[in-house]
Amino acid sequence: MSDAPRSRASAPNVPRSEPEWPQTPRVLARQTVARSRLFHVESLDLRFSNGEERTFERLTGSDHGAVMIVAMPDPEHVLLIREYAAGFEDYVLTLPKGLVDPGEDIVTAANRELMEECGFGARSMEPLVELSLAPNYMRHRMQVMLAKDLYPKRLPGDEPEPLIVETHPINELSSLLTREDFHEARAIAALYIARERLRAESTSNSLW
């Protein structure tokens, strides 16, 4: 019989420790610091579970949420839009997206944005994932939707100029990452998640 110690994987009845999450900080006070047509900056006075107190500032997001659409005109390609990004003072390549209007659900909002920005509707629209952006500073959540079975349909949008719509192979994402105009983290994450979903569906279908 070997005297070598058994590995942890083979040891019986090894207890697993669960992470101990701290208690959510208590909000002592909140106030508006600044407000514009698009942005609302809020100050939060917080007391943490260990007694420490801090003041945080954040941008609050839309109460109705937002959507980003991975639209597939065929099983191998995805639609991207080229639009002016004021934050960078330049044009960027990204996915169609927009806010959910009052009274809309995310499927209706995603189809509307797709029609406004790309000139297509989708007969199939399913949620992929919910993404946040800079959660330390922004209360912003975006629902990523996968759109398939597209058909031509144009709705007027609120863009200041017509958007350029491009088609790119979804299996060649690495080439997109080398471009200087494609760098929005949410769009990158959405495309990789969509690609893995499509690959999993393809594998599952091939087993039948």
Side-chain angles (χ1 to χ4, degrees):
M1 181 175 180
S2 172
D3 291 330
R6 289 181 296 179
S7 66
R8 182 179 178 86
S10 62
N13 302 321
V14 175
R16 293 186 177 182
S17 60
E18 296 294 334
E20 294 183 4
W21 298 102
Q23 183 180 355
T24 303
R26 178 185 176 189
V27 179
L28 303 177
R30 68 177 74 223
Q31 61 180 340
T32 295
V33 175
R35 186 188 291 272
S36 71
R37 181 176 62 89
L38 294 177
F39 301 109
H40 175 204
V41 183
E42 188 177 58
S43 173
L44 297 177
D45 294 336
L46 303 175
R47 178 180 295 144
F48 288 79
S49 58
N50 60 0
E52 289 290 323
E53 296 185 4
R54 295 287 190 277
T55 298
F56 283 65
E57 290 185 358
R58 67 174 185 175
L59 282 173
T60 63
S62 167
D63 291 332
H64 303 289
V67 290
M68 174 176 277
I69 307 100
V70 179
M72 310 286 297
D74 59 64
E76 287 80 35
H77 294 85
V78 63
L79 299 181
L80 298 177
I81 60 170
R82 184 178 301 278
E83 64 178 352
Y84 182 75
F88 282 81
E89 300 183 28
D90 202 356
Y91 286 87
V92 299
L93 195 63
T94 185
L95 290 170
K97 58 186 178 294
L99 297 177
V100 178
D101 287 343
E104 285 185 324
D105 57 39
I106 59 174
V107 172
T108 303
N111 240 329
R112 174 183 53 76
E113 288 291 342
L114 186 60
M115 294 174 185
E116 291 177 358
E117 298 192 356
C118 295
F120 287 95
R123 296 183 181 91
S124 172
M125 185 78 72
E126 60 179 299
L128 272 179
V129 69
E130 183 181 76
L131 299 176
S132 66
L133 178 66
N136 284 37
Y137 304 101
M138 297 179 64
R139 193 191 70 186
H140 181 83
R141 296 176 182 270
M142 177 164 278
Q143 300 287 340
V144 179
M145 310 294 289
L146 178 62
K148 294 185 289 186
D149 195 7
L150 306 187
Y151 59 92
K153 176 70 174 180
R154 170 72 65 178
L155 288 179
D158 57 0
E159 290 77 19
E161 61 183 0
L163 300 178
I164 297 173
V165 181
E166 301 184 9
T167 304
H168 289 266
I170 196 167
N171 286 324
E172 298 180 11
L173 299 183
S174 57
S175 63
L176 275 175
L177 293 178
T178 65
R179 298 176 52 142
E180 294 184 355
D181 59 351
F182 181 73
H183 46 71
E184 185 180 358
R186 294 174 302 178
I188 294 170
L191 285 175
Y192 273 97
I193 293 169
R195 187 186 69 176
E196 293 308 304
R197 167 73 70 86
L198 293 168
R199 285 179 174 177
E201 290 177 353
S202 177
T203 301
S204 176
N205 291 335
S206 66
L207 295 177
W208 292 93

